[in-house]
Amino acid sequence: MDNITSNAGNLPNRIKKALITRFSLRMDQADDREIDRNIREGLELNGTYLWTLMCAILIASIGLNINSTAVIIGAMLISPLMGPIMGIGYGVGIYDFRLIHKALKNLAIATVISFITSALYFYITPLNSAQSELLARTSPTIWDLLIALFGGLAGIIGATRKEKSNVIPGVAIATALMPPICTAAYGFVHGNIGFVLGAFYLYLLNCIYIAVPSILIVWFIHPVARREINDKLRFRLRLFLFSTVFVSFVPSVFIAVNFVHNQVFDRNVSDFVSKELVFSKTFPIDYKSSYKNKTIDVVLVGRQLDENTIAEIENTLPKYGLAGTRLIFKQVGMHQEDINAIKTALAKDILADNQKEAEKKEQILQSLQANARSAEKKAREEKEKTYMNMAREIYIQYPEINEVLFADAYVSRQKDKNIDRIPAVVIISKHTLKKDTRTKIMKWLKFRLEEDRTKMIFINR
């Protein structure tokens, strides 16, 4: 009984010990000197680093230009920008100001080189439109901050382990350091200051929130390379760090709030249109909403709505969280531009449907052509194999035969207007073959070719 009571009393301690052991960062931690060496080597700005950097930035620029997610991921996989950022965090964590200066300088140089390389690409490329992958890097939010934060945490944990894994490439993909630089370069080339500011803010956000977890983890593991500084300098450093984190955090919150409001507004408008704009002889064919202007523009076709009906519809707006939103109806018959809008919308729908149908037929045609080519190649290979085997059998039975030619002959006869295609075999021998030998060969070839009309020609050289 005492043993049971003792075990029950020790159970919380055993669970606590098991959890501490399971989540401990000390278990597979690399040697302090190895961590220090790896991080310092990762921020070196040598020739290989710069060439890899330029290749990665060009790949990322092309991926954004053609809107290819796979290409952008490939660029981020080979991106070497993580090294200097983690070097900054490590330098702050061990209070090595010379290392911090070197990492900041190398990061600045790498950023400038990346920006110039991407700008040159966007200056010469004939593709000028901003695709969705590029536009996604112009308005960073708190979610981008969180991705960088947890990505940086995973990165520094992976960098301090004995066994190296694929953590660093994964962090490079998640935090996406390359695309914001490319987006800023695109905005610079096309004179869009909004793109430049938004993209550089995202890049700065990623850099800060990758470095911050590195600082915290280095403070936690307390490596031997950590230097001792006085309390006043330590306080100033931490105050600066906190201020930087806070200042960079605030704009992302406002952008995120605005983003959420936009999403909610669009969802409420969609619910409103689908439930309230339902009539027997009037149909909404298109609508546009603007959260910024608090407006909903609806194009209607059919019987025109009277003022009472419109007033009733407007009164339902608060029910969908759209109080204060202005509802603008454009009905056919009121203005010529309404008719033009309807024609344009219908033309777009028809064109899109036709294009989808054409693409589907093109895919089917390409598939049939590929199958036909494959079948033709297979038939040709089987025929060549049959001819080769037949020739070998002839050479074994009749050593005096030098060559055998197989072909399809197109035969025209004087009394027949049609053209017949029949197998033809040319036998070339050292001397004239006997009649019975030629007869045997003819019968054997017709049997093997399964064609009684086979034409055989005997030549001696």
Side-chain angles (χ1 to χ4, degrees):
M1 186 69 179
D2 292 337
N3 289 337
I4 295 174
T5 304
S6 176
N7 290 335
N10 290 333
L11 184 60
N13 292 330
R14 290 167 60 188
I15 293 175
K16 180 181 178 181
K17 185 177 180 181
L19 290 174
I20 292 174
T21 303
R22 181 70 64 181
F23 289 95
S24 174
L25 292 176
R26 303 285 187 183
M27 294 292 291
D28 57 343
Q29 181 181 319
D31 181 75
D32 288 350
R33 293 180 180 83
E34 182 183 351
I35 296 171
D36 187 82
R37 183 179 66 255
N38 291 338
I39 291 180
R40 290 178 187 274
E41 289 176 354
L43 58 85
E44 289 299 327
L45 199 64
N46 52 35
T48 303
Y49 178 99
L50 293 179
W51 281 107
T52 304
L53 177 69
M54 288 188 289
C55 289
I57 202 72
L58 283 173
I59 294 172
S61 299
I62 294 169
L64 290 170
N65 205 199
I66 64 175
N67 209 41
S68 174
T69 305
V71 174
I72 297 169
I73 290 174
M76 291 184 289
L77 270 173
I78 61 176
S79 167
L81 284 173
M82 283 291 295
I85 298 174
M86 293 183 67
I88 294 170
Y90 180 74
V92 175
I94 63 173
Y95 306 124
D96 188 337
F97 297 101
R98 182 173 296 178
L99 177 62
I100 297 170
H101 177 265
K102 182 179 180 180
L104 282 170
K105 182 182 73 174
N106 288 357
L107 180 63
I109 293 172
T111 302
V112 171
I113 292 174
S114 299
F115 181 83
I116 294 172
T117 304
S118 183
L120 287 173
Y121 169 79
F122 283 114
Y123 181 75
I124 64 175
T125 180
L127 304 176
N128 295 322
S129 59
Q131 303 290 347
S132 60
E133 286 288 348
L134 193 143
L135 293 171
R137 272 81 187 184
T138 59
S139 300
T141 65
I142 192 173
W143 290 282
D144 297 294
L145 181 153
L146 293 174
I147 291 170
L149 180 67
F150 292 114
L153 183 62
I156 190 61
I157 290 174
T160 56
R161 300 303 96 188
K162 294 178 183 177
E163 297 294 331
K164 303 306 175 188
S165 64
N166 61 348
V167 170
I168 301 300
V171 173
I173 294 173
T175 53
L177 291 164
M178 283 288 179
I181 301 178
C182 299
T183 302
Y186 174 90
F188 175 78
V189 170
H190 292 87
N192 191 324
I193 191 64
F195 280 20
V196 176
L197 294 177
F200 264 127
Y201 174 53
L202 175 58
Y203 178 66
L204 182 64
L205 206 64
N206 283 337
C207 291
I208 292 172
Y209 283 89
I210 290 172
V212 166
S214 302
I215 299 169
L216 299 178
I217 292 298
V218 171
W219 281 347
F220 174 76
I221 65 176
H222 205 288
V224 293
R226 185 176 178 182
R227 302 178 180 184
E228 293 300 327
I229 59 175
N230 59 59
D231 293 339
K232 183 178 180 180
L233 183 57
R234 183 182 294 108
F235 173 78
R236 289 170 60 186
L237 181 64
R238 294 188 177 184
L239 179 63
F240 175 77
L241 181 64
F242 175 80
S243 302
T244 302
V245 170
F246 179 77
V247 170
S248 62
F249 168 79
V250 172
S252 69
V253 175
F254 283 107
I255 296 173
V257 169
N258 187 64
F259 174 79
V260 171
H261 286 167
N262 266 293
Q263 294 293 311
V264 173
F265 182 78
D266 289 342
R267 185 191 64 202
N268 292 343
V269 169
S270 179
D271 290 343
F272 167 76
V273 172
S274 62
K275 294 177 182 179
E276 298 298 333
L277 302 186
V278 180
F279 314 100
S280 59
K281 296 182 180 181
T282 306
F283 308 96
I285 62 169
D286 191 23
Y287 73 90
K288 294 180 181 178
S289 59
S290 171
Y291 171 72
K292 181 179 179 181
N293 299 323
K294 296 291 186 196
T295 58
I296 305 173
D297 291 273
V298 184
V299 179
L300 299 174
V301 62
R303 179 180 293 179
Q304 294 190 12
L305 302 180
D306 56 46
E307 293 183 0
N308 291 333
T309 304
I310 293 174
E312 291 176 1
I313 296 171
E314 290 175 340
N315 291 334
T316 63
L317 287 170
K319 185 171 69 174
Y320 296 91
L322 299 171
T325 303
R326 192 158 54 96
L327 189 59
I328 303 171
F329 286 115
K330 295 184 179 180
Q331 304 187 65
V332 172
M334 295 174 67
H335 301 285
Q336 180 62 37
E337 57 266 23
D338 300 331
I339 300 174
N340 294 336
I342 294 170
K343 288 181 178 179
T344 302
L346 292 175
K348 286 181 179 179
D349 291 341
I350 293 170
L351 183 61
D353 291 341
N354 289 343
Q355 186 174 356
K356 289 180 182 178
E357 189 65 26
E359 289 175 355
K360 185 177 179 182
K361 289 180 179 179
E362 180 66 21
Q363 290 175 356
I364 294 172
L365 178 61
Q366 289 177 358
S367 177
L368 291 174
Q369 289 175 340
N371 292 337
R373 286 194 296 269
S374 177
E376 184 180 352
K377 181 181 178 182
K378 185 177 180 181
R380 184 173 65 252
E381 291 174 349
E382 290 179 353
K383 184 180 284 189
E384 289 175 357
K385 186 178 179 181
T386 300
Y387 288 160
M388 179 61 72
N389 292 334
M390 291 174 63
R392 288 174 179 171
E393 292 177 23
I394 291 176
Y395 297 147
I396 292 172
Q397 296 180 62
Y398 307 99
E400 63 271 27
I401 295 177
N402 293 335
E403 295 180 54
V404 181
L405 280 67
F406 298 93
D408 289 334
Y410 292 86
V411 181
S412 172
R413 297 179 180 85
Q414 187 175 0
K415 296 181 180 180
D416 193 352
K417 295 180 180 180
N418 296 325
I419 298 290
D420 289 337
R421 190 177 72 171
I422 62 174
V425 182
V426 180
I427 306 292
I428 302 174
S429 59
K430 298 176 183 178
H431 53 76
T432 304
L433 298 175
K434 295 180 180 179
K435 185 177 180 180
D436 61 335
T437 300
R438 293 200 302 268
T439 303
K440 287 180 181 179
I441 295 173
M442 289 173 63
K443 289 182 179 179
W444 179 78
L445 284 170
K446 288 180 179 180
F447 172 76
R448 287 297 306 272
L449 294 171
E450 299 179 354
E451 179 57 74
D452 291 334
R453 298 182 302 160
T454 302
K455 183 72 175 178
M456 273 162 283
I457 302 170
F458 294 90
I459 302 174
N460 61 291
R461 289 179 179 173

